[in-house]
Amino acid sequence: MPADEVPLEGVAPGGEVVRKVARVVLLDPDDRILLLRGFEPADPADTWWFTPGGGLEGDETRREAALRELTEETGITQVDLGPVLWHRICSFPFDGRRWHQDEWYFLARTTQTDTSSEGLTELERRSVAGSRWWTSAELSASRETVYPTRLAGLLRRLLDEGPPDEPVILDPEIV
């Protein structure tokens, strides 16, 4: 079974279930990355940028979830989904609860750069303020919060060296 389809059976330190997540590092023909702008529903001034993606539903694989989430969050359906680039464990407060996630980041390419927010869930409608295509230089120069926190350097390395032979294990992020 491919590594991106191995189910995680885990429990966070507080006894909560760890959410299995598939994320997409979506690049356009100019090697720009698509990020979504998120915010805390109770505090719209608390903003950050993040890659499209979300939790697995039912018995879907991470690959299936990555494609579904990308379509729902961006409207982009014409993609070439590549390998898993990175793996990250994270924990953060959001919308009144703590989320514990096991995230797999897939590389994907597209020529479709127009986005749509039509497929957002109710929670996403309350916490996503749009999307933007970023160049590597723009991401490196930005002072805005971006997750994963080392995304600018990871993207630069990906563009310079290509995808890794095996997924890179990122440092856990506990916010």
Side-chain angles (χ1 to χ4, degrees):
M1 180 179 297
D4 57 79
E5 295 181 15
V6 175
L8 172 74
E9 300 297 334
V11 177
E16 301 91 348
V17 173
V18 176
R19 183 175 182 236
K20 296 178 239 181
V21 171
R23 297 208 161 280
V24 180
V25 175
L26 184 63
L27 302 178
D28 74 359
D30 297 321
D31 286 336
R32 296 180 305 166
I33 185 172
L34 182 66
L35 298 179
L36 304 177
R37 185 169 187 210
F39 62 92
E40 177 61 48
D43 181 9
D46 183 7
T47 65
W48 58 87
W49 293 91
F50 64 102
T51 59
L56 278 64
E57 294 180 356
D59 63 353
E60 76 183 344
T61 66
R62 283 191 170 89
R63 293 186 75 77
E64 291 167 341
L67 292 170
R68 177 185 49 76
E69 286 285 340
L70 186 63
T71 298
E72 290 175 1
E73 293 178 350
T74 70
I76 294 175
T77 58
Q78 301 167 15
V79 298
D80 178 17
L81 189 64
V84 175
L85 300 170
W86 314 311
H87 176 217
R88 173 180 88 141
I89 300 294
C90 63
S91 179
F92 55 90
F94 175 71
D95 195 37
R97 68 174 267 221
R98 178 154 285 278
W99 299 73
H100 303 281
Q101 298 190 159
D102 174 63
E103 300 182 335
W104 292 81
Y105 289 78
F106 288 87
L107 173 61
R109 294 232 173 230
T110 188
T111 58
Q112 182 184 348
T113 57
D114 290 335
T115 61
S116 168
S117 59
E118 302 267 327
L120 294 178
T121 66
E122 184 272 332
L123 176 59
E124 290 164 342
R125 284 190 176 98
R126 293 188 298 114
S127 62
V128 175
S131 62
R132 175 182 165 193
W133 291 96
W134 295 72
T135 66
S136 175
E138 289 169 337
L139 196 55
S140 292
S142 177
R143 299 212 181 271
E144 295 191 57
T145 301
V146 177
Y147 294 108
T149 55
R150 296 177 33 226
L151 184 58
L154 291 165
L155 178 62
R156 183 72 263 149
R157 184 174 180 187
L158 172 65
L159 295 175
D160 289 345
E161 301 175 13
D165 292 333
E166 296 289 327
V168 173
I169 308 299
L170 304 181
D171 292 336
E173 290 192 45
I174 311 299
V175 180

